[in-house]
Amino acid sequence: MNKQENVNEVLDLIIVGGGINGAGIAADASGRNLNVGLYESGDFASATSSASSKLIHGGLRYLEHYEFRLVAESLAEREVLLKKAPHIAKPMRFRLPHRPFLRPAWMIRAGLFLYDHLGKPSFFSNPFISKNEGLLKGSYGVDFRQTKVLKEDIVKGFEYSDCWVDDARLVLLNILQAQQQGAEIKNYCHVEKAERVGDIWKVTLLDKHSNTRFERHAHALVNAAGPWVRSFITDNIEAESPYGIRLIKGSHIIVPKVHNEEQAYILQNDDHRIVFVTPYLDDYSLIGTTDVEYKGDPRNVAIEQSEIDYLIDVVNKHFIHQIKADDVVSSYSGVRPLCDDESDSPQAITRDYTLSLEQEGEQAPLLSIFGGKLTTYRKLAESAMKQLSPFFPEMGKSWTANSILPGGEGYDENLQSMQLRQQYPWINNKTIRRYCRQYGTQAKAMLKEVTQESQMGQHFGEGVYQCEIDYLINHEFACSAQDILWRRTKLGIMLSPEVQAQVSLYIENKVANSTVTPDTMFDCAKKVG
């Protein structure tokens, strides 16, 4: 199977949806020498995949629901993803205060023992192998009387390892990796209809950039539409969905730092839910999430005052530093499309993924993705390719476990920071650090034509220069201020409304007058890379 050279040729695979699952499958499939097209109705990661708790974690609380396979797979993936994306992912220690009237200490200790060992290949042959093996250290008890962060009645607890990740950029880097391997990638491109014509899928698309329609054909179709996975089947394909979907809203708030420690906190509430308080962007704490059944349009999801009050209440029950609604500098909500397992409460619904392959006789196959979580996206993609392998006997072998995502190749934050400071002395240290943690080694590509500050273009303030905005438009599919300020970066949290308005106006003019289109971006990416 040769890479696509003519857009009129039949693709091997069309993927509907540019969230983490669609992006991961596109990267995996294109690296197996399949001709891939991925089409996203909005921006990449514009729904669920940019509204997570931004954690790569095993899911400690999932052990209570006996989801051992999911937890084991998630735990094993943590170190894989740390190595794949060292610039946007990092280890983080989590502190769990013990509340005697909630889960008993023995239960937490048992859960943490499993958590330390369950993801290791050697666990079942020797469950007592050293917990300090690998990048992530094991759990231990903590005496909180020494920290002076929590209220005095909270004396003891536990500390364990998980990881943090920039969720929206994780999606984007998989998109860029797929594009570098020849996939056709388009955002703001809506799949209006998909129909089988014999053993081929005929897909009609609307390019929202140009308001024009076009067709693509493929041997197989992957429905990775996330919250719209079921409606895509019923409305766009006009078929019956094999599974139901329950939409669970999760909301987060961002406040100035609740504490100055580097650790995150996982708080047990008296309703048996847990809330994370995570260090975020140096100056903030990210607090979430809620679990609320949601019935509306996923595009219109928004936090409610009751959710803000809930999160604030949980934090104030634990920390000496009290917060209030006026402290909230930003918030976001997303819906998790969980496969309906008829659980009684949102908390009990499985976070595992279900893949549904539908194909009879000589029909073109349809693979639909139900559920899933950020941590297991790569394993989900491998499972998807295994399901599709009978239809593509010449498909390459699995490869993503050892691949590095763009910007992570040879990444060393300390070395790169030093080099950038020496080469660009006018850029402040905070901005240099952000460039490293956001673009990795690609930061040099973004700045490669710059030899003096004037060549960085307009300075909007807070370390935001025109050259960065141009780079995101030209090479990262960004089309709007929302794309840039809230997904490609998180600058929207830090910039004043006035500066945001200036950036937005510049982007509107730049995009309106730009000759760069999604079809030419691959050539740009090759030149930058």
Side-chain angles (χ1 to χ4, degrees):
M1 284 167 281
N2 297 318
K3 287 293 184 183
Q4 174 194 3
E5 295 180 359
N6 187 328
V7 295
N8 294 318
E9 292 180 358
V10 178
L11 296 165
D12 291 314
L13 208 61
I14 283 179
I15 300 166
V16 181
I20 189 60
N21 291 336
I25 293 171
D28 193 334
S30 58
R32 296 178 191 239
N33 206 30
L34 296 184
N35 297 332
V36 175
L38 180 144
Y39 310 103
E40 161 59 42
S41 183
D43 185 28
F44 306 119
S46 58
T48 306
S49 295
S50 60
S52 75
S53 293
K54 311 192 189 309
L55 301 178
I56 300 170
H57 66 133
L60 183 60
R61 70 183 180 90
Y62 303 154
L63 292 173
E64 291 184 312
H65 302 292
Y66 310 108
E67 297 205 54
F68 299 115
R69 189 213 65 79
L70 174 62
V71 174
E73 182 174 275
S74 300
L75 290 170
E77 279 297 285
R78 295 178 306 176
E79 295 199 18
V80 174
L81 297 183
L82 284 175
K83 293 174 182 176
K84 282 181 67 69
H87 49 318
I88 63 165
K90 63 181 179 180
M92 184 173 282
R93 296 291 288 179
F94 286 75
R95 288 181 166 175
L96 171 58
H98 179 236
R99 311 303 299 274
F101 58 89
L102 295 173
R103 297 165 178 87
W106 68 263
M107 180 183 291
I108 297 174
R109 289 193 191 98
L112 287 172
F113 175 83
L114 284 173
Y115 209 72
D116 285 340
H117 299 288
L118 196 57
K120 300 181 185 299
S122 55
F123 173 70
F124 293 101
S125 60
N126 182 7
F128 297 99
I129 193 168
S130 171
K131 67 175 66 177
N132 293 319
E133 186 182 76
L135 296 173
L136 302 173
K137 297 185 181 300
S139 60
Y140 51 75
V142 177
D143 185 343
F144 288 116
R145 288 173 295 190
Q146 309 301 318
T147 66
K148 302 187 185 305
V149 169
L150 300 178
K151 291 185 172 180
E152 61 181 14
D153 62 319
I154 303 174
V155 177
K156 295 184 178 180
F158 307 88
E159 187 173 304
Y160 66 94
S161 289
D162 263 326
C163 309
W164 182 91
V165 70
D166 185 329
D167 51 4
R169 289 205 67 80
L170 183 63
V171 175
L172 183 71
L173 295 185
N174 277 274
I175 289 290
L176 294 176
Q177 187 174 64
Q179 185 193 50
Q180 288 170 1
Q181 295 172 126
E184 179 180 63
I185 303 291
K186 290 181 181 289
N187 59 350
Y188 297 102
C189 187
H190 178 61
V191 176
E192 292 188 324
K193 187 175 182 180
E195 56 185 322
R196 286 185 173 103
V197 181
D199 60 350
I200 298 294
W201 280 102
K202 174 184 172 184
V203 178
T204 304
L205 302 108
L206 173 65
D207 187 332
K208 296 179 181 179
H209 295 290
S210 59
N211 196 32
T212 57
R213 286 176 176 81
F214 62 100
E215 289 183 356
R216 289 289 184 266
H217 300 83
H219 294 290
L221 183 66
V222 174
N223 172 12
W228 298 273
V229 60
R230 186 176 182 276
S231 63
F232 179 78
I233 296 172
T234 57
D235 299 343
N236 300 71
I237 300 179
E238 299 181 354
E240 185 174 341
S241 176
Y243 296 99
I245 279 288
R246 287 175 71 176
L247 300 180
I248 306 301
K249 179 170 71 164
S251 296
H252 296 75
I253 58 174
I254 299 168
V255 300
K257 283 195 294 189
V258 174
H259 61 83
N260 289 316
E261 297 177 312
E262 62 182 11
Q263 294 90 347
Y265 278 79
I266 174 172
L267 310 178
Q268 302 177 87
N269 195 35
D270 50 18
D271 60 2
H272 293 279
R273 289 210 66 260
I274 58 98
V275 170
F276 291 104
V277 180
T278 310
Y280 191 56
L281 302 177
D282 295 332
D283 300 320
Y284 304 95
S285 291
L286 174 62
I287 301 168
T289 179
T290 57
D291 269 320
V292 181
E293 196 100 24
Y294 186 76
K295 300 293 186 181
D297 183 342
R299 291 285 180 197
N300 298 329
V301 65
I303 194 169
E304 297 177 20
Q305 186 61 47
S306 60
E307 293 178 280
I308 295 174
D309 295 340
Y310 173 87
L311 295 173
I312 289 174
D313 180 62
V314 174
V315 169
N316 287 343
K317 286 178 180 177
H318 290 81
F319 287 93
I320 293 173
H321 177 77
Q322 301 284 282
I323 62 174
K324 55 188 184 300
D326 289 346
D327 294 323
V328 177
V329 297
S330 186
S331 65
Y332 61 86
S333 299
V335 291
R336 284 158 282 180
L338 304 181
C339 196
D340 191 356
D341 59 5
E342 300 183 353
S343 296
D344 293 333
S345 69
Q347 295 86 359
I349 303 173
T350 181
R351 266 55 176 176
D352 211 344
Y353 53 83
T354 299
L355 307 185
S356 173
L357 181 65
E358 190 263 314
Q359 190 266 349
E360 294 181 2
E362 299 299 318
Q363 281 185 336
L366 168 66
L367 182 66
S368 296
I369 314 298
F370 292 84
K373 61 198 292 279
L374 193 71
T375 306
T376 54
Y377 87 90
R378 193 193 66 82
K379 295 294 289 185
L380 182 152
E382 287 188 335
S383 297
M385 300 316 297
K386 184 176 181 180
Q387 293 260 3
L388 292 169
S389 61
F391 307 98
F392 302 104
E394 298 178 30
M395 177 195 300
K397 296 180 180 180
S398 59
W399 64 282
T400 57
N402 298 312
S403 71
I404 308 299
L405 291 170
E409 309 90 339
Y411 178 71
D412 181 319
E413 182 177 343
N414 292 330
L415 177 60
Q416 183 168 324
S417 295
M418 180 183 69
Q419 292 173 342
L420 290 178
R421 282 195 296 269
Q422 290 175 347
Q423 193 167 356
Y424 308 101
W426 58 84
I427 304 178
N428 64 49
N429 288 339
K430 185 175 183 179
T431 301
I432 290 288
R433 185 167 60 250
R434 179 173 68 80
Y435 284 173
C436 291
R437 296 178 180 179
Q438 185 171 300
Y439 303 109
T441 55
Q442 288 296 97
K444 294 180 180 178
M446 180 179 72
L447 299 169
K448 70 176 183 178
E449 302 296 334
V450 175
T451 58
Q452 53 190 1
E453 185 172 10
S454 62
Q455 293 175 325
M456 297 189 73
Q458 181 179 351
H459 184 207
F460 296 96
E462 298 295 330
V464 183
Y465 289 90
Q466 177 183 328
C467 65
E468 180 181 9
I469 304 299
D470 292 347
Y471 176 85
L472 294 170
I473 293 171
N474 293 338
H475 305 295
E476 291 197 0
F477 295 94
C479 300
S480 70
Q482 189 80 8
D483 297 349
I484 289 176
L485 297 179
W486 298 100
R487 285 185 287 275
R488 307 300 185 279
T489 76
K490 302 298 183 289
L491 291 168
I493 296 171
M494 296 169 267
L495 299 182
S496 69
E498 293 76 19
V499 174
Q500 288 190 50
Q502 292 176 31
V503 173
S504 180
L505 181 60
Y506 174 80
I507 294 169
E508 288 177 13
N509 292 332
K510 172 75 175 179
V511 171
N513 298 317
S514 177
T515 57
V516 177
T517 69
D519 285 325
T520 63
M521 283 183 178
F522 182 42
D523 292 331
C524 296
K526 288 192 291 186
K527 291 174 183 176
V528 171

